[in-house]
Amino acid sequence: MLEKRRLFSNTIFLFLTWFTMSILTFFYWLIIGRTLHPSSYGTISTTIQISTLIVSLTFLGFNGSIIKLVPEYLSRKKLGLVKGLITYSFKVTFSITLLILLLVLILRNHISQIISLPINAIVMVFPISLSFYFSLFLGYIIYAFQEMKLYFLSTFFGTLISLSLAGILIFFGFDYFGPLIAYSIGFLTTAILMFKKRYILVEKTGKYDKKTFWHYAKENFFVTIFTLILNTRPIIISFLKGTEATGIFSFVWIILSFISMIPQLISQALFPIISQKIDKKNIEELFTVTFRYVLVVSLPLFLFFIFFVLS
């Protein structure tokens, strides 16, 4: 069954992406935690969280439209609609992202006072957010095209460059500024490696329905807001307790966040497949296989985690 093979392939490369990124990101933060003061660690964490918050909100949920509709359009060979969705999504989300970032630069002094963040760090929100935006936007397209191998390789090399450059810049005394520069360059590298002309030059743009795009975007936007509320802890802690407390919290949270990723990865591997309008019987079979994968992989990991904590 083609769908099963595709599910397995998607899961493998998504797992490799998550695993290698988790390891490299862990060492990225470990290097920062071992070489910089907790306040610098907190400054880096808060700056990155602000950039993530901005980009996630300015996508307006269009990532949901892309990963839902592109596989469907591809299965129907409607390449003009694929180009239309990608082009329209980019125009809307990039314009809003750029506008918000310009406002951040204009209000950088006020923002610095409110969240106790250095002005230089506020300025770095601009390049970090732009590079993150491009890598994220292209990542959603690659995911929708189910080119998971390219997704893995691009993310791996981008994160590796970020890690290596962060260590070098810290060695030369750039303090928190070094890892922020490295973070931005890493995402820019990822975006460059992900880009393919065929994503936007497939053919003439087909006649598309904006209401359909906004329908899925609206639903995903509310999910994004809820997720962001759960993931803005460093910003809240920085506001209440300062960057030093944020640094300590962030280091611990990264270690504890691994266990929830296995079910999420498998469901992510499944989503673009069932978006291709396959028959109901195949969908039910894929859900059964997915549930087995989640149970077999997650349960031992969960038990190990419980044993580790109790011991």
Side-chain angles (χ1 to χ4, degrees):
M1 182 178 174
L2 179 61
E3 288 82 8
K4 281 187 179 180
R5 292 197 297 269
R6 180 57 64 87
L7 174 61
F8 182 76
S9 174
N10 288 354
T11 303
I12 290 297
F13 283 113
L14 286 175
F15 174 78
L16 288 174
T17 302
W18 168 75
F19 182 77
T20 54
M21 273 199 67
S22 297
I23 297 298
L24 293 176
T25 302
F26 174 77
F27 281 107
Y28 173 89
W29 290 107
L30 182 64
I31 290 172
I32 296 172
R34 295 296 297 271
T35 56
L36 299 180
H37 190 271
S39 62
S40 296
Y41 190 106
T43 297
I44 297 167
S45 177
T46 304
T47 304
I48 291 174
Q49 286 292 329
I50 292 173
S51 300
T52 303
L53 178 64
I54 291 173
V55 174
S56 299
L57 288 176
T58 55
F59 258 98
L60 299 176
F62 270 98
N63 51 317
S65 299
I66 292 173
I67 64 178
K68 170 63 178 71
L69 294 175
V70 167
E72 178 183 336
Y73 293 158
L74 288 174
S75 67
R76 292 160 48 191
K77 302 187 184 303
K78 301 290 186 179
L79 300 183
L81 291 179
V82 173
K83 181 181 179 181
L85 173 56
I86 292 173
T87 304
Y88 180 74
S89 300
F90 177 77
K91 288 179 180 178
V92 173
T93 58
F94 182 71
S95 299
I96 295 176
T97 301
L98 196 59
L99 177 62
I100 296 299
L101 291 177
L102 289 175
L103 287 175
V104 169
L105 286 181
I106 294 172
L107 301 174
R108 59 186 180 276
N109 292 327
H110 299 287
I111 297 173
S112 176
Q113 293 177 1
I114 292 172
I115 61 175
S116 303
L117 204 64
I119 294 179
N120 287 339
I122 299 294
V123 172
M124 282 302 299
V125 168
F126 190 90
I128 291 174
S129 297
L130 279 184
S131 58
F132 182 50
Y133 170 85
F134 285 116
S135 66
L136 202 61
F137 187 83
L138 290 168
Y140 288 131
I141 296 173
I142 290 176
Y143 171 80
F145 273 79
Q146 299 189 66
E147 297 189 8
M148 304 306 184
K149 183 177 180 180
L150 176 60
Y151 186 88
F152 160 64
L153 292 174
S154 303
T155 306
F156 172 76
F157 284 112
T159 308
L160 185 62
I161 288 175
S162 179
L163 170 64
S164 305
L165 188 57
I168 293 172
L169 293 177
I170 289 175
F171 177 78
F172 282 103
F174 279 76
D175 196 48
Y176 65 83
F177 207 58
L180 292 178
I181 294 174
Y183 203 80
S184 177
I185 293 176
F187 274 123
L188 182 61
T189 303
T190 299
I192 292 172
L193 293 174
M194 284 181 172
F195 181 75
K196 282 187 175 182
K197 289 184 178 180
R198 74 183 183 91
Y199 294 146
I200 56 174
L201 300 178
V202 287
E203 59 177 52
K204 291 183 178 180
T205 303
K207 186 177 180 180
Y208 54 84
D209 183 8
K210 294 180 182 179
K211 290 183 179 180
T212 302
F213 297 170
W214 281 101
H215 170 72
Y216 290 105
K218 180 177 64 176
E219 293 179 353
N220 192 67
F221 183 66
F222 289 118
V223 175
T224 300
I225 291 178
F226 178 75
T227 304
L228 286 173
I229 292 174
L230 297 178
N231 291 333
T232 53
R233 301 174 188 88
I235 298 176
I236 296 173
I237 295 175
S238 180
F239 175 74
L240 296 175
K241 295 293 184 178
T243 54
E244 184 171 347
T246 306
I248 296 172
F249 169 82
S250 300
F251 185 77
V252 175
W253 180 252
I254 288 173
I255 298 175
L256 297 177
S257 62
F258 289 164
I259 194 170
S260 64
M261 288 304 299
I262 298 299
Q264 183 177 342
L265 287 171
I266 298 177
S267 63
Q268 286 175 351
L270 176 65
F271 187 77
I273 298 175
I274 62 175
S275 296
Q276 294 177 334
K277 300 297 184 180
I278 60 178
D279 61 81
K280 183 178 179 181
K281 182 180 179 181
N282 286 341
I283 291 178
E284 291 176 350
E285 188 175 352
L286 285 172
F287 273 120
T288 302
V289 172
T290 302
F291 178 75
R292 290 173 182 171
Y293 283 168
V294 170
L295 193 62
V296 169
V297 178
S298 299
L299 188 57
L301 186 61
F302 178 76
L303 293 175
F304 172 79
F305 179 77
I306 295 297
F307 175 78
F308 179 78
V309 171
L310 293 177
S311 61

